[in-house]
Amino acid sequence: MINNSSYSPIHVIGGGLAGSEAAWQIANAGVPVILHEMRGVRGTDAHKTDGLAELVCSNSFRSDDATSNAVGVIHAEMRMAGSLIMASADRHQVPAGGALAVDRDGFSDAVTKAIQEHPLITVMREEISGLPPREWDLAVIATGPLTAPSLASAIQAETGEDSLAFFDAIAPIVYRDSIDMDICWYQSRYDKIGPGGTGKDYINCPMTEEQYNAFVDALIAGDTVGFKEWEGTPYFDGCLPIEVMAERGRETLRHGPMKPMGLTNAHNPTVKAYAVVQLRQDNALGTLYNMVGFQTKLKYGAQADIFRMIPGLENAEFARLGGLHRNTYVNSPTLLDPSLTLKSRPGLRFAGQITGCEGYVESASVGLLAGRFAAAERKGEPVSLPPATTALGSLLGHITGGHLVTDEEPGKRSFQPMNINFGLFPELQPGSIVKPEGVKRFRGKDKTIMKRQLIAKRALADCAAWLGQDVKLAESI
């Protein structure tokens, strides 16, 4: 087919899930795309093929339940927006219960074929070793966590020495409403009021000596994940895994992240805790709290079991479990505007995991947004941001501004890569959760399920309205 578009092309660097989705959205808006992919000229340590949107780890896109799972909600929103990634996944689905899993080769082949056959997309197999030339005008960088060193250096030179993270130390994040506040209490150590603080900035979980020793034993015995060769040597004192600290001596944690000094149990002031686990607010909404100093290489199942040994976290639900791995991402809250544009370089957007999101669908969804934003800018149309109540909008909000800001570490303290989860969505209006008729006891898990169902329903309706689609159809999903 002949390219009859009168628009200048938009350049997309990176042919992974985010780059492929961005190119598709731009082209379907009637704007030509040049998609630059280095595989075919230069490989990476993780990829095995030259195919676009290759899945390098799992073949699962996780839950497809759009009624009460945040991942399922973002699936549904992407489908509404004409996502190539979701359409290809749906066509190459393999049995996986309630999850959406795919035949990885069939999926990649389908994305590659669709991109190569689109009349407005040109695929160029070449490495872009520096920032896009200014004469390209509009461009999207979607190079993922394995960004080539030369491009990473160019990004760092443009944005500043501390703007790019090459290594990710992640502590688990807990939903605030799953913490037992009959056991825990709010207090900063020594009631210190820091920048933007109140003196009650942490949730504290107390431990007796017996509980502490059992916890340390479980950490040392816990099943850990080995590092892949290409990840290099990860340990340095600033982010030692919690289990490695435990192995260095039984009292190490009590003199490190679990020290009890400066804290008084509000429920039992006369008894001093032997050790204390602190959780710090992780997002501006106050719905998520991270476990301070608890970066870990424990396997996910072991993490959940061991961390639920902590008093007050027996029923904890985790928005994200911990880890340590190589993950190149920019300090998006300070560097990018709400439309994913680099503030120091108008016309240059970032997309995918390099912006600070985790997961296949999250990466693709940010590519979807960057593509739509870039196409609108090329066509001289207003850039329309998705509502914060949608999965797309809540993830975008986390990336570009959902962190906590302090004078000491503006934009950095709580910004970490994140999967989509209900903790990123704004709270429901007061009174939204109503006890069903005939139900005597309505709390805990039942209340949580209804809350998530209502958030999901609101998200789909608001996304449909944003896209100019039938809201009633979205509400029926």
Side-chain angles (χ1 to χ4, degrees):
M1 297 177 67
I2 299 173
N3 175 7
N4 291 320
S5 174
S6 59
Y7 297 110
S8 299
I10 295 174
H11 294 258
V12 176
I13 304 172
L17 279 79
S20 297
E21 186 65 63
W24 185 257
Q25 294 290 327
I26 294 166
N28 280 354
V31 177
V33 182
I34 299 176
L35 177 61
H36 305 264
E37 170 53 52
M38 75 175 184
R39 284 177 299 120
V41 175
R42 174 180 172 175
T44 75
D45 293 318
H47 292 88
K48 305 300 182 187
T49 76
D50 296 338
L52 301 178
E54 179 188 340
L55 305 182
V56 298
C57 297
S58 168
N59 70 327
S60 176
F61 283 32
R62 311 189 330 273
S63 175
D64 203 38
D65 174 16
T67 65
S68 58
N69 188 287
V71 180
V73 174
I74 207 166
H75 284 182
E77 292 183 6
M78 291 172 68
R79 289 184 180 110
M80 287 186 209
S83 165
L84 171 64
I85 295 302
M86 290 308 303
S88 300
D90 289 337
R91 285 199 300 272
H92 294 275
Q93 185 172 4
V94 297
L100 174 59
V102 304
D103 176 310
R104 65 177 71 235
D105 292 332
F107 167 78
S108 177
D109 290 346
V111 173
T112 302
K113 185 174 187 291
I115 291 288
Q116 289 178 336
E117 292 182 353
H118 198 294
L120 292 181
I121 301 177
T122 301
V123 179
M124 299 187 68
R125 297 285 181 167
E126 61 180 357
E127 180 181 354
I128 303 301
S129 58
L131 289 182
R134 291 189 181 272
E135 55 265 28
W136 283 7
D137 186 22
L138 294 184
V140 177
I141 294 178
T143 46
L146 298 178
T147 296
S150 56
L151 179 55
S153 296
I155 294 169
Q156 197 165 32
E158 170 71 23
T159 56
E161 184 179 349
D162 297 327
S163 64
L164 199 63
F166 296 97
F167 185 76
D168 200 10
I170 295 176
I173 288 182
V174 180
Y175 288 106
R176 162 62 185 83
D177 59 11
S178 71
I179 301 171
D180 188 347
M181 295 307 294
D182 289 334
I183 295 174
C184 307
W185 75 96
Y186 285 101
Q187 186 187 7
S188 299
R189 205 176 299 280
Y190 300 107
D191 301 308
K192 182 180 179 182
I193 300 176
T198 65
K200 296 183 178 181
D201 300 331
Y202 294 81
I203 292 176
N204 299 278
C205 309
M207 277 188 173
T208 64
E209 183 175 3
E210 182 181 2
Q211 289 168 331
Y212 173 79
N213 284 323
F215 181 69
V216 170
D217 289 340
L219 282 177
I220 294 172
D223 196 7
T224 59
V225 178
F227 284 95
K228 297 178 182 178
E229 291 179 10
W230 54 266
E231 288 183 307
T233 303
Y235 299 150
F236 51 95
D237 287 341
C239 65
L240 280 174
I242 191 81
E243 64 275 8
V244 173
M245 283 190 273
E247 290 171 351
R248 292 188 170 186
R250 183 158 292 272
E251 295 295 295
T252 302
L253 293 176
R254 286 190 66 236
H255 295 283
M258 295 177 64
K259 58 180 177 286
M261 285 77 79
L263 297 167
T264 301
N265 189 335
H267 304 296
N268 195 358
T270 61
V271 177
K272 282 293 182 182
Y274 189 76
V276 173
V277 174
Q278 289 197 307
L279 295 93
R280 181 175 60 208
Q281 185 175 334
D282 196 78
N283 66 339
L285 296 173
T287 53
L288 301 174
Y289 274 72
N290 72 72
M291 299 176 66
V292 179
F294 270 64
Q295 53 273 1
T296 178
K297 284 298 289 184
L298 289 168
K299 289 185 176 179
Y300 283 173
Q303 284 187 49
D305 291 342
I306 293 171
F307 295 153
R308 287 188 180 123
M309 294 173 65
I310 298 169
L313 301 186
E314 292 90 346
N315 298 306
E317 292 188 32
F318 296 92
R320 183 189 70 193
L321 288 164
L324 287 136
H325 60 280
R326 180 178 182 236
N327 190 3
T328 303
Y329 65 99
V330 297
N331 185 19
S332 294
T334 58
L335 297 176
L336 305 184
D337 75 7
S339 75
L340 300 167
T341 300
L342 189 63
K343 293 175 184 177
S344 66
R345 177 85 179 269
L348 178 58
R349 286 182 167 82
F350 284 79
Q353 282 188 265
I354 198 170
T355 64
C357 64
E358 289 274 11
Y360 290 150
V361 291
E362 290 87 343
S363 178
S365 72
V366 180
L368 182 151
L369 292 172
R372 294 177 74 92
F373 297 159
E377 185 174 348
R378 172 64 80 219
K379 295 166 74 174
E381 299 171 353
V383 173
S384 173
L385 304 180
T389 50
T390 64
L392 291 169
S394 66
L395 186 61
L396 180 66
H398 165 71
I399 289 167
T400 62
H403 61 291
L404 295 173
V405 177
T406 71
D407 293 334
E408 295 174 340
E409 299 177 287
K412 296 182 68 173
R413 188 177 69 147
S414 67
F415 182 64
Q416 290 279 4
M418 181 77 77
N419 292 109
I420 186 67
N421 64 81
F422 282 120
L424 301 183
F425 291 70
E427 291 282 5
L428 295 165
Q429 291 294 322
S432 297
I433 303 174
V434 180
K435 184 174 73 171
E437 258 184 73
V439 175
K440 291 183 179 179
R441 297 183 64 187
F442 183 62
R443 60 185 182 184
K445 188 171 289 188
D446 292 333
K447 193 172 183 180
T448 297
I449 290 172
M450 177 177 280
K451 176 182 177 181
R452 292 178 178 180
Q453 289 173 338
L454 292 172
I455 290 174
K457 185 176 181 180
R458 178 186 66 181
L460 296 178
D462 289 354
C463 185
W466 173 61
L467 293 168
Q469 298 178 6
D470 187 347
V471 173
K472 290 185 179 179
L473 182 62
E475 290 176 342
S476 69
I477 295 177

